[in-house]
Amino acid sequence: MTTEEYSDEILMAYSDGELAPDEAARIAAKAESDPDIAARISVFRRTGEVLSMAAAERNRMAPPVESHARIRAQLARSSGNGGQVVDLQARRNRPRRSAIWSGAIAASIALAIGIGGGYWLGQQPGSGSTGPVQVTQLDPAIAEKLSSLPSGETASIPGEVSMTPVASFELASGEFCREYELIGTSGSRTVSVACNEAGNWKLRFAMDAGAASGGEYVPASSLEILDAYLSSSGASAPMSEESERAALSSLGE
Amino acid sequence: MPPIDRFEDRLIAILPNLHRFALSLCRKHDIAEDLVQVSVIRALEARNRFDPETRIEPWVFRILRNAWIDMTRRGATRGTEIEIGSDIDPAGADGEKVTEARLMLNAVERVLEEMPEEQREVLILFCYEEMSYAEIAEILDVPRGTVMSRLARARLGLAKKLGIK
């Protein structure tokens, strides 16, 4: 009965549509006349159906993975640079849990200390000087977008070209913060972090990330500084779209 | 340049699939997240070896599986497994109606738990991730015939346990 010709593997491949057409036709003809063969095929068909049903339910139930939001954001803006930026990102995502990245975080903090120009803390982008850390009120148009625009979407801003929230996260202190990019009319690109204090957005970090011309994106080396800043602030992994939506809607309350 | 899907966009699209597959290998969420990140980095490093005319899933799944093998060889992490199903609410606990699909999923997950590793792996790739026999063979680096015999055994075992006739 169970010859090689009608092995479990062959009948399964038939029910999965994995046989060449002529062989499938041969099995179909055999199944017509042989109820035993038909029954064996049906077991494979039924297991396939049960498993697809389980798979659909499994995917429906799966919680969003927080770290994916960050990988997504980084992949979305890394433009063929061989993965450097994602590497940095992965470190930022996992400051505590994974030893894989810790050496690299230390390296990026050392780099931040070693670099003199190109970034400043707590100052309005474009103000030029590098003073002590201070809290700075944001342009109301930018603040408004920070309270409403989901990460990954871009809005135009009066006096600037565009503004794009990159990710949302919480600091160790529990403050709700967002990283965003601002493209200026001169083609400048600023990467900033602002946190919400009792309903007001305050700038915490801003960095000149190089010209925005020609689709060139932030070089990985400059993002290391942001990376170090976020690590030292105890920033959480970026929120999922869902958590971000909830955090944004609770701002209005 | 013709506007084909960027490599990065194709990776983004399969992040949930990668996480699911990683979870089925290591059964711990934090390790699964590490595996996905490591795999994305390795995929970007090796992007020149990817044929953009082909599906990206099998190619990255293979990278991920190799990363997992590396990780376990380096003295990691198995042994302190948690239930893979633990991210799924206990049936009905949240007041949601217990659906037939949920019961089915729970039953399938229980059978998968008891299944030999090599059968579980092909079953997950075929049924959950919808890979073809040839793609599974590529991911596992075994002949297509081996995939077929493992998958047939796994399906017959499942049918028996679930009373599918």
Side-chain angles (χ1 to χ4, degrees), chain A residues 46-67:
Chain A
R46 295 285 313 282
T47 54
E49 287 163 6
V50 163
L51 285 159
S52 331
M53 194 169 160
E57 179 70 1
R58 183 169 176 260
N59 297 348
R60 199 179 68 81
M61 298 299 300
V65 181
E66 296 276 338
S67 65

Side-chain angles (χ1 to χ4, degrees), chain A residues 87-157:
Chain A
D87 197 1
L88 292 170
Q89 214 35 67
R91 297 203 302 266
R92 186 188 305 168
N93 282 344
R94 329 194 44 85
R96 288 171 300 276
R97 198 161 51 216
S98 167
I100 299 175
W101 317 110
S102 58
I105 289 175
S108 67
I109 290 172
L111 180 68
I113 293 166
I115 285 183
Y119 78 104
W120 60 101
L121 286 170
Q123 299 240 332
Q124 194 67 269
S127 65
S129 68
T130 53
V133 174
Q134 57 187 358
V135 179
T136 307
Q137 197 82 31
L138 280 178
D139 178 333
I142 293 174
E144 197 273 318
K145 294 301 175 197
L146 284 175
S147 299
S148 59
L149 197 63
S151 293
E153 292 184 17
T154 298
S156 56
I157 298 287

Side-chain angles (χ1 to χ4, degrees), chain A residues 68, chain B residues 11 14-27 31-43 56-72 121 125 129 139-140:
Chain A
H68 288 185
Chain B
L11 278 179
I14 63 163
L15 286 175
N17 312 50
L18 287 173
H19 187 80
R20 279 200 307 270
F21 182 51
L23 201 53
S24 73
L25 294 176
C26 67
R27 308 181 185 209
I31 296 173
E33 287 186 59
D34 277 344
L35 270 175
V36 170
Q37 287 175 341
V38 167
S39 305
V40 166
I41 292 165
R42 289 192 186 175
I56 198 169
E57 287 96 328
W59 188 76
V60 187
F61 273 43
R62 182 180 174 144
I63 290 173
L64 190 147
R65 186 170 178 273
N66 288 337
W68 167 241
I69 291 170
D70 286 353
M71 210 184 253
T72 48
E121 202 168 48
L125 286 170
E129 301 303 336
I139 293 165
L140 302 183

Side-chain angles (χ1 to χ4, degrees), chain B residues 112-123:
Chain B
L112 281 174
E113 285 298 307
E114 297 163 4
M115 204 170 262
E117 178 63 33
E118 60 176 34
Q119 290 183 29
R120 190 164 65 94
E121 202 168 48
V122 290
L123 201 60

Side-chain angles (χ1 to χ4, degrees), chain B residues 70-88:
Chain B
D70 286 353
M71 210 184 253
T72 48
R73 274 196 199 122
R74 256 190 269 127
T77 8
R78 206 94 191 217
T80 49
E81 294 171 358
I82 53 159
E83 290 276 311
I84 191 171
S86 61
D87 57 324
I88 293 161

